[in-house]
Amino acid sequence: QVQLVESGGGLVQTGGSLRLSCTASGRAFSSAARGWFRQAPGKEREFVAAINWSGGNTNYADSVAGRFTISRDKFNKFNNTVVLQMNSLKPEDTAVYYCALGRGPAVMEATLPNRVTSWGQGTQVTVSS
C-alpha cells in the first residue's frame, strides 16, 4: 500500500507563492502518474495538476495554468517526490490541497478522482486578500 505525505501549505498574501511537496512510500509508486487536487469549503474536490511517471508530460486545470508548475524531484533517485510550485496566488486558490497517485503511468490517470488509487491527508493553503 502506498502512503502519500504532503507538506508546504500555509498562509500567504495575494500574489505570493507557495511550494507543496508530496512524498510517496510503499509499493509501486515510481511508475505511476501523480497529481494534485483541491477542495474548498462547500465545494467538490477538483483537479489542479498532474504529471506522468517520467515527468515528461503534465496537465493543468485552466484556472491554474501559467501560475502553477508540477514537477518531479530530479535529485530524488527513488522518483517518489512531486512538487507543486504555486505562484501569483489568488484568494480563490484557498483550499485543502491533496496529493494523489494515479492508477497508471499516463498523466491522465491522475486527473480524475475515480482514477486515483491513493490520497494524501491534505494540506491547507490560505490566500488572503
Side-chain angles (χ1 to χ4, degrees), residues 34-46:
R34 302 278 290 280
W36 288 92
F37 290 73
R38 66 187 182 188
Q39 188 166 17
K43 296 187 177 181
E44 293 187 353
R45 191 170 297 189
E46 65 175 3

Side-chain angles (χ1 to χ4, degrees), residues 17-18 24 33 37 52 55 58 60 65 108 119 125 128:
S17 298
L18 283 174
F37 290 73
N52 74 330
T58 58
Y60 297 93
M108 298 306 293
W119 294 96
V125 171
S128 63

Side-chain angles (χ1 to χ4, degrees), residues 13 15 17 22-23 30 43-44 52 58 62 67 73 76 80 97 103 108:
Q13 292 185 335
S17 298
C22 175
T23 298
S30 63
K43 296 187 177 181
E44 293 187 353
N52 74 330
T58 58
D62 290 343
R67 300 187 296 122
D73 186 350
N76 187 306
N80 65 345
Y97 283 69
R103 191 172 299 274
M108 298 306 293

Side-chain angles (χ1 to χ4, degrees), residues 6-59:
E6 302 106 335
S7 62
L11 173 65
V12 66
Q13 292 185 335
T14 297
S17 298
L18 283 174
R19 185 175 183 267
L20 305 183
S21 294
C22 175
T23 298
S25 61
R27 299 177 59 186
F29 55 77
S30 63
S31 60
R34 302 278 290 280
W36 288 92
F37 290 73
R38 66 187 182 188
Q39 188 166 17
K43 296 187 177 181
E44 293 187 353
R45 191 170 297 189
E46 65 175 3
F47 167 72
V48 175
I51 190 166
N52 74 330
W53 73 275
S54 68
N57 193 12
T58 58
N59 190 281

